[in-house]
């Protein structure tokens, strides 16, 4: 009996945002995640428009290449719709959205992608990230300037170099075709998941949760457990032998699931202000994703800024290390000076002497030296006194040490 593929789409507003700017779609052949942005202007509108337009490409294709071309065309059509919407609603200027879309054609998968949402393939217990983030930090990683770990905490990690929106009339869209087979799991998610949950954790959850719904819910919960500062959307597809995900109507989640009314959107936005006033930290904890045009000047500017940051970091380290060394040196000098204010009486070979310093040694360095030799011999001292001198007698001052010598000379038989 042929196994039927199962899919699910789940979206959550997260813990800090007041509205969901993500949208997700799980249809018969097509699966999409879109993450809208635009600061205070219409990120939710952007992702909803994109999903609704791209969902029109959910149909059977003769080949995966046909599907990839159709998806690319659909993304470009969505880009045009966004520009037209901004033309009619100037208050939405600057809105944009990522799109990661996947269509199955038999044992092949067609992908179209722009932005920093991600597509992963989970096969035989291993997770592979299929799409590349179109972010500034990913550029830095690819050019070897920073590591993947540094990228995850980089202050510019939310800067996107490519999205659908009203800025570029023909944005560059990545397309690719890959094989798939029954048992594969495909995950499409917004950065609200991938920025806060490690790939290892994603892999563990995909390996351990049987149904797509259980696994997707667990993924969302994992992001919530990490504070979910951003909206989080998951579309999960289990590949069966049948390449139609039939039996239920397409699932639409996030802002695309709501009626698209700009006026209502503006009213909702007005409600956000008290939230920010009551929780001023909330507005600063997560920098909103935003798009910057992919101009050479801007890239150069960012790279320069990054170099300055690296230089500042190096200088900070250098100053810190210098200060630490200086503190150690000052400590040693003061410590040595302190030892040299002390005196004691002890044996110097066969005779008694006054020593300056303390008896301890630091490695090969002795912290005391003979200050004054006397003519009192060790042999001339009574046995008990002699052993006391051998163990040394500490003095409070040089005068005190001299008094000790006077007493020893009185006791001496010399
Ligand atoms: Ca996001």
């Amino acid at each position: 009996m042929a196994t039927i593929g199962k899919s699910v789409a789940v979206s959550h507003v997260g813990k800090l945002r007041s509205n969901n700017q993500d949208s997700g779609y799980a249809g018969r052949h097509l699966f999409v995640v879109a993450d809208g942005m635009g600061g205070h202007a219409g990120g939710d509108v952007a992702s909803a428009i994109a999903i609704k337009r791209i969902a029109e490409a959910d149909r059977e294709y003769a080949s995966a290449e046909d599907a990839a071309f159709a998806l690319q065309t659909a993304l470009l059509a969505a880009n045009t719709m966004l520009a037209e919407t901004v033309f009619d609603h100037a208050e939405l200027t600057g809105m944009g959205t990522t799109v990661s879309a996947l269509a199955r054609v038999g044992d092949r998968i067609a992908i179209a992608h722009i932005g920093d949402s991600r597509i992963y393939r989970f096969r035989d217990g291993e997770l592979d990230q299929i799409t590349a983030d179109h972010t500034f930090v990913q550029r830095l990683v690819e050019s070897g300037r920073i590591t993947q770990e540094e990228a995850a905490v980089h202050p510019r990690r939310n800067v996107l170099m490519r999205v659908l929106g009203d800025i570029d009339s023909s944005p560059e869209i990545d397309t690719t075709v890959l094989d798939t087979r029954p048992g594969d799991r495909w995950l499409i998610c917004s950065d609200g998941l991938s920025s806060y949950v490690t790939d290892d954790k994603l892999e563990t959850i995909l390996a351990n949760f049987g149904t797509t719904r259980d696994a997707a819910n667990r993924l969302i919960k994992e992001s919530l457990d990490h504070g979910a500062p951003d909206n989080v959307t998951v579309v999960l597809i289990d590949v069966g032998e049948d390449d139609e995900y039939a039996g239920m109507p397409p699932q639409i989640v996030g802002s695309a699931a709501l009626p698209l009314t700009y006026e209502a959107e503006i009213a909702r936005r007005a409600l956000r202000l008290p939230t920010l006033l009551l929780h001023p930290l909330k507005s600063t904890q997560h920098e909103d994703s935003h798009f910057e045009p992919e101009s050479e000047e801007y890239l150069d500017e960012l790279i320069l800024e990054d170099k300055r940051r690296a230089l500042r970091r190096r200088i900070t380290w250098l100053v810190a290390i210098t200060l630490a060394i200086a503190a150690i040196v000052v400590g040693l000098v003061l410590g040595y000076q302190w030892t040299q204010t002390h005196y004691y009486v002890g044996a110097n070979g066969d005779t008694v002497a006054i020593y300056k310093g303390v008896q301890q040694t630091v490695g090969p360095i002795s912290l005391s030296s003979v200050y004054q030799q006397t003519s009192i011999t060790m042999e001339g001292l009574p046995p008990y006194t002699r052993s006391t001198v051998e163990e040394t007698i500490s003095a409070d001052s040089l005068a005190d040490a001299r008094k000790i010598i006077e007493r020893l000379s009185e006791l001496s038989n010399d």
Side-chain angles (χ1 to χ4, degrees), residues 193-219:
L193 181 73
S194 53
S195 289
Y196 304 100
V197 183
T198 65
D199 284 6
D200 282 351
K201 191 71 202 179
L202 298 180
E203 194 174 84
T204 307
I205 292 169
L206 293 176
N208 289 307
F209 285 79
T211 69
T212 49
R213 181 157 295 280
D214 285 351
N217 285 338
R218 189 66 191 78
L219 291 169

mmCIF file of all heavy atoms in Angstrom, residues 193-219:
data_model
loop_
_atom_site.group_PDB
_atom_site.id
_atom_site.type_symbol
_atom_site.label_atom_id
_atom_site.label_comp_id
_atom_site.label_asym_id
_atom_site.label_seq_id
_atom_site.Cartn_x
_atom_site.Cartn_y
_atom_site.Cartn_z
ATOM 1 N N LEU A 193 12.444 30.458 14.388
ATOM 2 C CA LEU A 193 12.865 29.138 14.864
ATOM 3 C C LEU A 193 14.385 28.993 14.753
ATOM 4 O O LEU A 193 15.077 28.762 15.747
ATOM 5 C CB LEU A 193 12.194 28.015 14.056
ATOM 6 C CG LEU A 193 12.568 26.599 14.522
ATOM 7 C CD1 LEU A 193 11.895 26.264 15.852
ATOM 8 C CD2 LEU A 193 12.193 25.543 13.479
ATOM 9 N N SER A 194 14.914 29.184 13.537
ATOM 10 C CA SER A 194 16.329 28.842 13.302
ATOM 11 C C SER A 194 17.314 29.757 14.033
ATOM 12 O O SER A 194 18.451 29.359 14.280
ATOM 13 C CB SER A 194 16.628 28.820 11.806
ATOM 14 O OG SER A 194 16.229 30.027 11.195
ATOM 15 N N SER A 195 16.886 30.979 14.393
ATOM 16 C CA SER A 195 17.819 31.858 15.113
ATOM 17 C C SER A 195 17.915 31.516 16.593
ATOM 18 O O SER A 195 18.815 31.985 17.277
ATOM 19 C CB SER A 195 17.387 33.325 14.996
ATOM 20 O OG SER A 195 17.589 33.777 13.696
ATOM 21 N N TYR A 196 16.952 30.748 17.100
ATOM 22 C CA TYR A 196 16.919 30.520 18.543
ATOM 23 C C TYR A 196 17.071 29.055 18.935
ATOM 24 O O TYR A 196 17.331 28.742 20.088
ATOM 25 C CB TYR A 196 15.630 31.116 19.139
ATOM 26 C CG TYR A 196 15.516 32.579 18.797
ATOM 27 C CD1 TYR A 196 14.714 33.034 17.766
ATOM 28 C CD2 TYR A 196 16.310 33.519 19.466
ATOM 29 C CE1 TYR A 196 14.671 34.380 17.411
ATOM 30 C CE2 TYR A 196 16.271 34.852 19.128
ATOM 31 C CZ TYR A 196 15.456 35.279 18.105
ATOM 32 O OH TYR A 196 15.435 36.602 17.751
ATOM 33 N N VAL A 197 16.899 28.158 17.964
ATOM 34 C CA VAL A 197 17.028 26.731 18.255
ATOM 35 C C VAL A 197 18.165 26.179 17.387
ATOM 36 O O VAL A 197 18.196 26.431 16.181
ATOM 37 C CB VAL A 197 15.699 26.000 17.953
ATOM 38 C CG1 VAL A 197 15.810 24.530 18.317
ATOM 39 C CG2 VAL A 197 14.546 26.648 18.718
ATOM 40 N N THR A 198 19.101 25.476 17.991
ATOM 41 C CA THR A 198 20.260 24.983 17.235
ATOM 42 C C THR A 198 19.862 23.878 16.262
ATOM 43 O O THR A 198 18.863 23.186 16.466
ATOM 44 C CB THR A 198 21.332 24.404 18.185
ATOM 45 O OG1 THR A 198 20.768 23.252 18.835
ATOM 46 C CG2 THR A 198 21.769 25.410 19.235
ATOM 47 N N ASP A 199 20.685 23.704 15.223
ATOM 48 C CA ASP A 199 20.431 22.653 14.247
ATOM 49 C C ASP A 199 20.415 21.278 14.922
ATOM 50 O O ASP A 199 19.622 20.406 14.559
ATOM 51 C CB ASP A 199 21.504 22.666 13.146
ATOM 52 C CG ASP A 199 21.259 23.809 12.159
ATOM 53 O OD1 ASP A 199 20.341 24.620 12.404
ATOM 54 O OD2 ASP A 199 21.986 23.889 11.155
ATOM 55 N N ASP A 200 21.284 21.085 15.925
ATOM 56 C CA ASP A 200 21.324 19.808 16.645
ATOM 57 C C ASP A 200 19.982 19.515 17.311
ATOM 58 O O ASP A 200 19.492 18.390 17.303
ATOM 59 C CB ASP A 200 22.417 19.834 17.732
ATOM 60 C CG ASP A 200 23.796 19.627 17.129
ATOM 61 O OD1 ASP A 200 23.860 19.293 15.923
ATOM 62 O OD2 ASP A 200 24.791 19.799 17.853
ATOM 63 N N LYS A 201 19.410 20.572 17.905
ATOM 64 C CA LYS A 201 18.124 20.408 18.594
ATOM 65 C C LYS A 201 17.015 20.125 17.577
ATOM 66 O O LYS A 201 16.156 19.271 17.813
ATOM 67 C CB LYS A 201 17.830 21.681 19.399
ATOM 68 C CG LYS A 201 16.674 21.558 20.362
ATOM 69 C CD LYS A 201 17.019 20.687 21.535
ATOM 70 C CE LYS A 201 15.757 20.141 22.172
ATOM 71 N NZ LYS A 201 16.064 19.258 23.301
ATOM 72 N N LEU A 202 17.058 20.835 16.437
ATOM 73 C CA LEU A 202 16.062 20.589 15.383
ATOM 74 C C LEU A 202 16.125 19.120 14.957
ATOM 75 O O LEU A 202 15.106 18.445 14.815
ATOM 76 C CB LEU A 202 16.328 21.477 14.157
ATOM 77 C CG LEU A 202 16.247 22.995 14.327
ATOM 78 C CD1 LEU A 202 16.555 23.689 12.996
ATOM 79 C CD2 LEU A 202 14.876 23.425 14.823
ATOM 80 N N GLU A 203 17.365 18.636 14.777
ATOM 81 C CA GLU A 203 17.588 17.254 14.332
ATOM 82 C C GLU A 203 16.995 16.265 15.338
ATOM 83 O O GLU A 203 16.301 15.317 14.956
ATOM 84 C CB GLU A 203 19.093 17.035 14.187
ATOM 85 C CG GLU A 203 19.477 15.796 13.431
ATOM 86 C CD GLU A 203 20.985 15.738 13.218
ATOM 87 O OE1 GLU A 203 21.685 15.270 14.133
ATOM 88 O OE2 GLU A 203 21.449 16.168 12.157
ATOM 89 N N THR A 204 17.265 16.508 16.623
ATOM 90 C CA THR A 204 16.763 15.612 17.667
ATOM 91 C C THR A 204 15.240 15.570 17.662
ATOM 92 O O THR A 204 14.636 14.487 17.762
ATOM 93 C CB THR A 204 17.254 16.097 19.055
ATOM 94 O OG1 THR A 204 18.669 16.250 18.984
ATOM 95 C CG2 THR A 204 16.893 15.126 20.140
ATOM 96 N N ILE A 205 14.620 16.735 17.537
ATOM 97 C CA ILE A 205 13.152 16.775 17.565
ATOM 98 C C ILE A 205 12.581 16.054 16.343
ATOM 99 O O ILE A 205 11.654 15.246 16.456
ATOM 100 C CB ILE A 205 12.654 18.236 17.638
ATOM 101 C CG1 ILE A 205 13.015 18.839 19.012
ATOM 102 C CG2 ILE A 205 11.141 18.310 17.400
ATOM 103 C CD1 ILE A 205 12.812 20.332 19.114
ATOM 104 N N LEU A 206 13.161 16.309 15.156
ATOM 105 C CA LEU A 206 12.653 15.656 13.937
ATOM 106 C C LEU A 206 12.828 14.143 14.017
ATOM 107 O O LEU A 206 12.036 13.383 13.465
ATOM 108 C CB LEU A 206 13.348 16.223 12.699
ATOM 109 C CG LEU A 206 13.016 17.688 12.394
ATOM 110 C CD1 LEU A 206 13.825 18.189 11.205
ATOM 111 C CD2 LEU A 206 11.530 17.879 12.133
ATOM 112 N N ALA A 207 13.876 13.694 14.725
ATOM 113 C CA ALA A 207 14.132 12.257 14.849
ATOM 114 C C ALA A 207 13.168 11.601 15.832
ATOM 115 O O ALA A 207 12.844 10.430 15.693
ATOM 116 C CB ALA A 207 15.576 12.031 15.294
ATOM 117 N N ASN A 208 12.702 12.366 16.826
ATOM 118 C CA ASN A 208 11.986 11.742 17.931
ATOM 119 C C ASN A 208 10.476 11.929 17.936
ATOM 120 O O ASN A 208 9.784 11.277 18.718
ATOM 121 C CB ASN A 208 12.553 12.230 19.258
ATOM 122 C CG ASN A 208 13.937 11.648 19.493
ATOM 123 O OD1 ASN A 208 14.124 10.437 19.426
ATOM 124 N ND2 ASN A 208 14.915 12.504 19.718
ATOM 125 N N PHE A 209 9.962 12.815 17.084
ATOM 126 C CA PHE A 209 8.517 13.021 17.096
ATOM 127 C C PHE A 209 7.902 12.469 15.817
ATOM 128 O O PHE A 209 8.257 12.865 14.710
ATOM 129 C CB PHE A 209 8.181 14.495 17.299
ATOM 130 C CG PHE A 209 8.407 14.922 18.726
ATOM 131 C CD1 PHE A 209 9.693 15.198 19.176
ATOM 132 C CD2 PHE A 209 7.346 14.989 19.624
ATOM 133 C CE1 PHE A 209 9.913 15.548 20.506
ATOM 134 C CE2 PHE A 209 7.565 15.340 20.942
ATOM 135 C CZ PHE A 209 8.850 15.625 21.390
ATOM 136 N N GLY A 210 6.981 11.497 15.994
ATOM 137 C CA GLY A 210 6.474 10.711 14.880
ATOM 138 C C GLY A 210 5.652 11.479 13.870
ATOM 139 O O GLY A 210 5.994 11.512 12.689
ATOM 140 N N THR A 211 4.582 12.128 14.315
ATOM 141 C CA THR A 211 3.717 12.784 13.330
ATOM 142 C C THR A 211 4.223 14.194 13.052
ATOM 143 O O THR A 211 4.892 14.810 13.881
ATOM 144 C CB THR A 211 2.266 12.878 13.839
ATOM 145 O OG1 THR A 211 2.238 13.817 14.921
ATOM 146 C CG2 THR A 211 1.758 11.521 14.314
ATOM 147 N N THR A 212 3.889 14.686 11.854
ATOM 148 C CA THR A 212 4.327 16.037 11.510
ATOM 149 C C THR A 212 3.779 17.049 12.515
ATOM 150 O O THR A 212 4.482 17.986 12.894
ATOM 151 C CB THR A 212 3.861 16.429 10.095
ATOM 152 O OG1 THR A 212 2.488 16.143 9.967
ATOM 153 C CG2 THR A 212 4.651 15.687 9.031
ATOM 154 N N ARG A 213 2.533 16.828 12.955
ATOM 155 C CA ARG A 213 1.944 17.819 13.877
ATOM 156 C C ARG A 213 2.668 17.815 15.222
ATOM 157 O O ARG A 213 3.001 18.878 15.758
ATOM 158 C CB ARG A 213 0.437 17.568 14.082
ATOM 159 C CG ARG A 213 -0.206 18.592 15.007
ATOM 160 C CD ARG A 213 -1.700 18.753 14.816
ATOM 161 N NE ARG A 213 -2.114 19.293 13.530
ATOM 162 C CZ ARG A 213 -2.081 20.596 13.218
ATOM 163 N NH1 ARG A 213 -1.640 21.484 14.082
ATOM 164 N NH2 ARG A 213 -2.486 21.000 12.028
ATOM 165 N N ASP A 214 2.943 16.625 15.750
ATOM 166 C CA ASP A 214 3.653 16.557 17.039
ATOM 167 C C ASP A 214 5.036 17.210 16.920
ATOM 168 O O ASP A 214 5.465 17.962 17.798
ATOM 169 C CB ASP A 214 3.836 15.100 17.479
ATOM 170 C CG ASP A 214 2.524 14.511 17.986
ATOM 171 O OD1 ASP A 214 1.561 15.281 18.148
ATOM 172 O OD2 ASP A 214 2.472 13.285 18.207
ATOM 173 N N ALA A 215 5.741 16.884 15.820
ATOM 174 C CA ALA A 215 7.089 17.428 15.648
ATOM 175 C C ALA A 215 7.030 18.951 15.503
ATOM 176 O O ALA A 215 7.814 19.683 16.117
ATOM 177 C CB ALA A 215 7.765 16.803 14.437
ATOM 178 N N ALA A 216 6.074 19.450 14.686
ATOM 179 C CA ALA A 216 5.972 20.901 14.464
ATOM 180 C C ALA A 216 5.634 21.618 15.773
ATOM 181 O O ALA A 216 6.229 22.657 16.088
ATOM 182 C CB ALA A 216 4.914 21.199 13.400
ATOM 183 N N ASN A 217 4.698 21.046 16.543
ATOM 184 C CA ASN A 217 4.333 21.668 17.817
ATOM 185 C C ASN A 217 5.527 21.701 18.775
ATOM 186 O O ASN A 217 5.741 22.674 19.492
ATOM 187 C CB ASN A 217 3.165 20.930 18.468
ATOM 188 C CG ASN A 217 1.845 21.240 17.776
ATOM 189 O OD1 ASN A 217 1.720 22.268 17.100
ATOM 190 N ND2 ASN A 217 0.877 20.354 17.916
ATOM 191 N N ARG A 218 6.316 20.611 18.751
ATOM 192 C CA ARG A 218 7.484 20.562 19.626
ATOM 193 C C ARG A 218 8.527 21.604 19.207
ATOM 194 O O ARG A 218 9.175 22.223 20.045
ATOM 195 C CB ARG A 218 8.099 19.158 19.595
ATOM 196 C CG ARG A 218 9.177 18.948 20.645
ATOM 197 C CD ARG A 218 8.592 19.007 22.056
ATOM 198 N NE ARG A 218 9.650 19.076 23.069
ATOM 199 C CZ ARG A 218 10.318 20.175 23.371
ATOM 200 N NH1 ARG A 218 10.034 21.323 22.764
ATOM 201 N NH2 ARG A 218 11.264 20.156 24.303
ATOM 202 N N LEU A 219 8.682 21.792 17.889
ATOM 203 C CA LEU A 219 9.622 22.809 17.393
ATOM 204 C C LEU A 219 9.195 24.204 17.850
ATOM 205 O O LEU A 219 10.012 24.998 18.326
ATOM 206 C CB LEU A 219 9.698 22.770 15.852
ATOM 207 C CG LEU A 219 10.365 21.528 15.251
ATOM 208 C CD1 LEU A 219 10.143 21.480 13.740
ATOM 209 C CD2 LEU A 219 11.864 21.508 15.558
#
